């Protein structure tokens, strides 16, 4: 057996002439260099190629075992030897601190290593031990003398037992071996991608396609067809042509918006559901065996369960811009759906009639009570005035007092005239005694009459039952009667206003779209529901996949 010429190559770090066995696992000089070596070529097509016109130093050895020249690219002997040394240094298991120390020693000696391992190799080529203590001290203190090239300190090396070298049976060039490795890696990547694609398709089939198929099968083959009946109605208000206060919202949709919202809430309430069940048998219809088990109501279902089903099958909406209430009732039979819709419209009309009935009745009743009270008060004031006039036997005390004052004034004027006549008669030298006596008699009688009238006048104006007091009481009674008359008139006007306002607050419901039984089922929407189920399951799978990927990345990091 011929021994390979590179097998007994001396290690730079050993003594001269001492043979060094090849390290197990180190690449042969003619093989492809390690990918981690510092002298790795820039491209796969130019690695280890000799220059044009030159023959590599190890060419005789490379062609010794093969009778003919090999085709392909072959690394040079120097490059292969350097890579072999680097691989041997790498297998020594040097620490990071030792490698950094070797790089600093190499830089101190002016070397330009490409890596820490290359620094160890270059230092050993020059006969310098990178791990000698003196070298470490020289990094701190500059050396005064240069070290001779042959004054080297040799470290003990592990000598391995030389094994018999067999000729290599590998006739593949490095480029071909690289191509084979690349093809193997590509096959592994393709196999991995194919496996991941198959796993992805399996997960999609299990978590997305299978549930979608189940939902589609239910919608197309199992679900009971439901018939819907649509209707529309409006809430109108009395125009109120005789209204005293006009309103900008009168006659618009916003004028009855509150009533429409209240009606919508009433139709969607549990009270209406129970009333519909009592009148039309809502629960018994949805408990029938013809309905599929998913939509069917249980036989012992509670009112809450029935109410949930009611809200699902009775949809009511209100459009505030148009003031229209739209209602859609769904049932398993078209006639039943139309019957339910007509019953609900009747309930709505009854509730609309009663929305303002209490308010209208209360306002009118209050106005009538005020009118009745005003009438009673006026009647009492009038009776009081008549009673006072009857008790005093005088209809007009002020007129009586005025008449007495007029009589007194008249008698005083007559008395003055009589006194003037007596004075004129007495001025005559021989007065007529009979005339004088008659005139003086008239004066006496007038004075007595005046005394009587004054006494009557005094009695009429003073005392508890005088004419003056009676006149004041009569004036107060007349003022009270006038006040009651005004209050009675105001009560009458208030009653008329309350009646007009009650008429204006009246609500009327008109059905613009009458419920008609449909011929074709409206639900379920098979295709739309199947597509929606597919989108929902896809979204759930995507969210779960993203969450799992993020958690896996967080755990791995």
């Amino acid at each position: 057996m011929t021994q390979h010429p590179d097998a007994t190559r001396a290690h730079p770090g050993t003594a001269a002439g001492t043979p060094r066995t090849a390290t197990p696992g180190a690449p042969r000089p003619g093989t492809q260099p390690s990918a981690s070596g510092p002298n790795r070529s820039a491209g796969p097509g130019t690695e280890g190629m000799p220059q044009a016109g030159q023959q590599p130093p190890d060419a005789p050895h490379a062609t010794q075992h093969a009778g003919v020249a090999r085709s392909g690219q072959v690394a040079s002997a120097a490059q292969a030897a350097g890579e072999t040394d680097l691989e041997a240094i790498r297998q020594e298991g040097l620490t990071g601190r030792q490698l950094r120390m070797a790089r600093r020693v190499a830089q101190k000696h002016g070397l330009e290593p490409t890596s820490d391992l290359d620094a160890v190799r270059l230092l050993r080529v020059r006969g310098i031990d990178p791990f000698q203590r003196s070298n470490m001290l020289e990094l701190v203190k500059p050396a005064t003398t240069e070290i001779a090239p042959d004054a080297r300190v040799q470290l003990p090396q592990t000598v391995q037992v030389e094994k018999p070298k067999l000729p290599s049976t590998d006739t593949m060039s490095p480029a071909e071996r690289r191509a084979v490795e690349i093809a193997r890696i590509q096959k592994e990547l393709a196999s991995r991608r194919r496996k991941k694609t198959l796993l992805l398709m399996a997960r999609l089939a299990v978590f997305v396609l299978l549930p979608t198929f189940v939902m589609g099968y239910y919608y197309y083959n199992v679900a009971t067809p439901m018939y819907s009946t649509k209707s529309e109605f409006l809430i109108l208000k009395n125009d109120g042509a005789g209204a005293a206060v006009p309103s900008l919202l009168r006659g618009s949709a916003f004028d009855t918006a509150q009533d429409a919202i209240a009606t919508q809430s009433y139709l969607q309430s549990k009270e209406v559901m129970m009333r519909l069940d009592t009148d039309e048998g809502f629960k018994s219809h949805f408990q029938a065996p013809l309905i599929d088990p998913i939509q069917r109501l249980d036989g012992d279902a509670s009112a809450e369960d029935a109410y949930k089903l009611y809200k699902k099958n009775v949809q009511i909406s209100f459009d505030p811009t148009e003031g229209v209430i739209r209602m859609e009732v769904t049932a398993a039979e078209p006639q039943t759906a139309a019957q339910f819709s007509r019953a609900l419209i009747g309930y709505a009309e009854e509730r609309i009639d009663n929305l303002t009935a209490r308010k209208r009745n209360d306002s009118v009743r209050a106005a009538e009570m005020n009118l009745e009270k005003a009438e009673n008060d006026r009647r009492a004031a009038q009776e009081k005035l008549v009673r006072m006039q009857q008790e005093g036997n005088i209809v007009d005390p002020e007129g009586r007092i005025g008449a007495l004052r007029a009589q007194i004034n008249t008698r005083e004027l007559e008395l003055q005239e009589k006194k003037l006549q007596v004075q004129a008669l007495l001025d005559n030298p021989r007065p007529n005694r009979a005339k004088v006596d008659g005139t003086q008699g008239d004066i006496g009688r007038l004075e007595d009459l005046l005394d009587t009238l004054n006494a009557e006048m005094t009695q009429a104006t003073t005392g508890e039952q005088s004419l003056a007091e009676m006149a004041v009481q009569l004036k107060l009674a007349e003022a009270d009667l006038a006040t009651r008359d005004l209050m009675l008139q105001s009560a009458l006007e208030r009653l008329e206003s309350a009646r007009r306002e009650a008429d204006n607050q009246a609500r009327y419901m008109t059905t613009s779209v009458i419920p008609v039984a449909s011929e074709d089922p409206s639900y379920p929407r098979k295709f739309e529901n199947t597509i929606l189920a597919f989108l929902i399951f896809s979204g759930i799978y995507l969210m779960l996949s993203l969450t799992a990927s993020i958690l896996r990345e967080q755990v791995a990091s």
Side-chain angles (χ1 to χ4, degrees):
M1 181 180 297
T2 306
Q3 185 177 5
H4 197 279
D6 293 338
T8 59
R9 184 177 174 187
H11 192 277
T14 60
T18 305
R20 181 178 179 273
T21 60
T23 306
R28 297 175 59 189
T31 59
Q32 182 183 2
S34 174
S36 61
N39 296 325
R40 184 179 179 184
S41 61
T46 60
E47 181 179 359
M49 291 294 293
Q51 300 294 331
Q54 297 180 2
Q55 183 178 5
D58 54 351
H61 302 286
T63 59
Q64 184 177 1
H65 301 288
V68 296
R70 295 181 181 177
S71 62
Q73 298 176 358
V74 180
S76 64
Q79 183 180 1
E83 293 182 356
T84 304
D85 295 339
L86 288 177
E87 184 64 26
I89 294 171
R90 185 180 293 106
Q91 292 183 1
E92 290 180 7
L94 299 178
T95 63
R97 181 175 178 274
Q98 292 174 334
L99 295 176
R100 290 193 296 272
M101 187 187 305
R103 179 181 284 272
R104 288 197 293 269
V105 174
Q107 292 176 354
K108 179 180 179 299
H109 288 82
L111 301 178
E112 295 181 356
T114 58
S115 65
D116 295 341
L117 298 175
D118 189 43
V120 176
R121 185 183 67 81
L122 293 177
L123 289 173
R124 287 179 177 176
V125 168
R126 295 188 61 176
I128 302 172
D129 185 6
F131 311 118
Q132 189 177 1
R133 186 173 184 81
S134 60
N135 294 334
M136 297 172 59
L137 296 176
E138 287 174 0
L139 295 176
V140 181
K141 182 179 179 180
T144 57
T145 60
E146 296 182 358
I147 301 175
D150 54 351
R152 297 178 298 177
V153 179
Q154 303 297 331
L155 295 178
Q157 299 293 329
T158 302
V159 179
Q160 298 181 359
V161 178
E162 184 177 358
K163 297 181 180 180
K165 302 298 182 179
L166 299 176
S168 176
T169 59
D170 189 4
T171 61
M172 188 179 298
S173 65
E176 293 176 350
R177 185 179 295 107
R178 185 182 299 107
V180 171
E181 292 295 329
I182 292 174
R184 182 180 60 81
I185 294 173
Q186 290 178 349
K187 289 181 180 179
E188 291 180 357
L189 292 177
S191 176
R192 193 178 304 169
R193 290 195 190 98
R194 192 180 302 109
K195 181 179 179 181
K196 289 185 177 180
T197 303
L198 292 177
L199 290 177
L200 176 62
M201 296 303 296
R203 288 194 296 268
L204 289 176
V206 172
F207 295 105
V208 178
L209 298 180
L210 182 60
T212 304
F213 175 77
V214 172
M215 296 301 295
Y217 178 80
Y218 167 74
Y219 288 132
Y220 278 92
N221 299 320
V222 180
T224 302
M226 292 291 179
Y227 299 85
S228 65
T229 300
K230 297 182 179 180
S231 59
E232 297 180 3
F233 53 91
L234 297 87
I235 299 177
L236 302 179
K237 187 177 181 180
N238 191 7
D239 294 338
V245 181
S247 176
L248 296 176
L249 300 178
R250 187 177 300 277
S252 64
F254 297 98
D255 195 15
T256 58
Q258 294 182 351
D259 300 328
I261 294 174
T263 304
Q264 178 187 3
S265 302
Y266 171 71
L267 291 178
Q268 291 179 338
S269 63
K270 188 176 179 180
E271 175 188 358
V272 174
M273 186 275 299
M274 298 178 67
R275 184 175 179 182
L276 183 65
D277 180 41
T278 303
D279 297 343
E280 305 295 337
F282 175 80
K283 294 174 63 176
S284 60
H285 172 72
F286 284 95
Q287 290 174 350
L290 59 93
I291 301 177
D292 62 274
I294 296 179
Q295 301 184 73
R296 186 189 308 161
L297 189 64
D298 296 336
D300 56 348
S302 61
E304 284 72 17
D305 297 336
Y307 182 54
K308 291 179 182 178
L309 185 63
Y310 173 81
K311 290 192 295 184
K312 179 180 178 181
N313 291 278
V314 178
Q315 301 293 330
I316 302 174
S317 61
F318 169 65
D319 188 356
T321 58
E322 300 177 359
V324 179
I325 300 177
R326 295 181 174 88
M327 181 173 61
E328 181 180 3
V329 181
T330 305
E333 298 176 353
Q335 298 298 332
T336 304
Q339 185 178 356
F340 286 168
S341 182
R342 285 191 290 269
L344 291 175
I345 291 176
Y347 300 159
E349 186 173 3
E350 181 180 350
R351 175 51 61 95
I352 289 171
D353 293 339
N354 296 330
L355 278 176
T356 58
R358 182 176 179 181
K359 182 178 179 181
R360 290 184 286 116
N361 295 335
D362 290 345
S363 60
V364 173
R365 188 180 299 107
E368 291 177 350
M369 292 176 62
N370 291 333
L371 177 61
E372 184 179 358
K373 184 175 181 300
E375 290 178 350
N376 294 332
D377 293 342
R378 182 183 180 281
R379 186 178 297 106
Q382 190 173 10
E383 290 177 355
K384 181 179 179 181
L385 178 61
V386 172
R387 187 171 57 255
M388 291 179 64
Q389 291 176 352
Q390 290 177 353
E391 290 178 355
N393 293 325
I394 299 175
V395 178
D396 189 5
E398 290 185 355
R400 177 61 179 170
I401 294 174
L404 290 175
R405 287 178 179 175
Q407 290 181 8
I408 292 172
N409 291 333
T410 301
R411 300 309 174 199
E412 287 180 350
L413 291 175
E414 292 179 356
L415 179 61
Q416 290 177 358
E417 290 179 357
K418 293 297 180 181
K419 288 182 177 180
L420 290 175
Q421 288 180 4
V422 170
Q423 190 64 31
L425 291 175
L426 292 176
D427 289 341
N428 192 0
R430 288 187 293 182
N432 187 355
R433 180 54 58 180
K435 290 183 178 180
V436 172
D437 294 338
T439 303
Q440 290 179 347
D442 293 337
I443 291 173
R445 287 192 292 274
L446 289 174
E447 289 178 351
D448 294 337
L449 182 58
L450 286 174
D451 293 337
T452 304
L453 292 175
N454 288 329
E456 188 177 354
M457 185 66 182
T458 302
Q459 292 178 0
T461 55
T462 59
E464 295 182 356
Q465 297 296 329
S466 61
L467 292 177
E469 183 180 359
M470 293 179 62
V472 171
Q473 292 179 355
L474 288 175
K475 283 186 175 182
L476 292 175
E478 290 175 355
D480 189 12
L481 180 60
T483 302
R484 298 305 174 185
D485 289 339
L486 293 177
M487 293 179 65
L488 179 60
Q489 184 179 0
S490 176
L492 287 173
E493 293 177 356
R494 191 179 298 111
L495 178 60
E496 293 298 327
S497 177
R499 288 175 178 174
R500 288 195 301 269
E501 189 67 23
D503 294 337
N504 294 334
Q505 291 178 356
R507 300 293 187 269
Y508 306 98
M509 193 189 79
T510 175
T511 305
S512 57
V513 177
I514 300 174
V516 178
S518 60
E519 296 180 359
D520 297 329
S522 302
Y523 300 99
R525 296 186 174 94
K526 303 176 182 179
F527 180 75
E528 293 85 347
N529 292 347
T530 305
I531 295 298
L532 180 60
F534 173 75
L535 295 177
I536 291 175
F537 289 125
S538 300
I540 294 174
Y541 173 77
L542 179 61
M543 293 182 63
L544 293 178
S545 299
L546 291 176
T547 304
S549 177
I550 293 172
L551 292 177
R552 185 165 53 249
E553 182 179 355
Q554 293 293 331
V555 171
S557 61

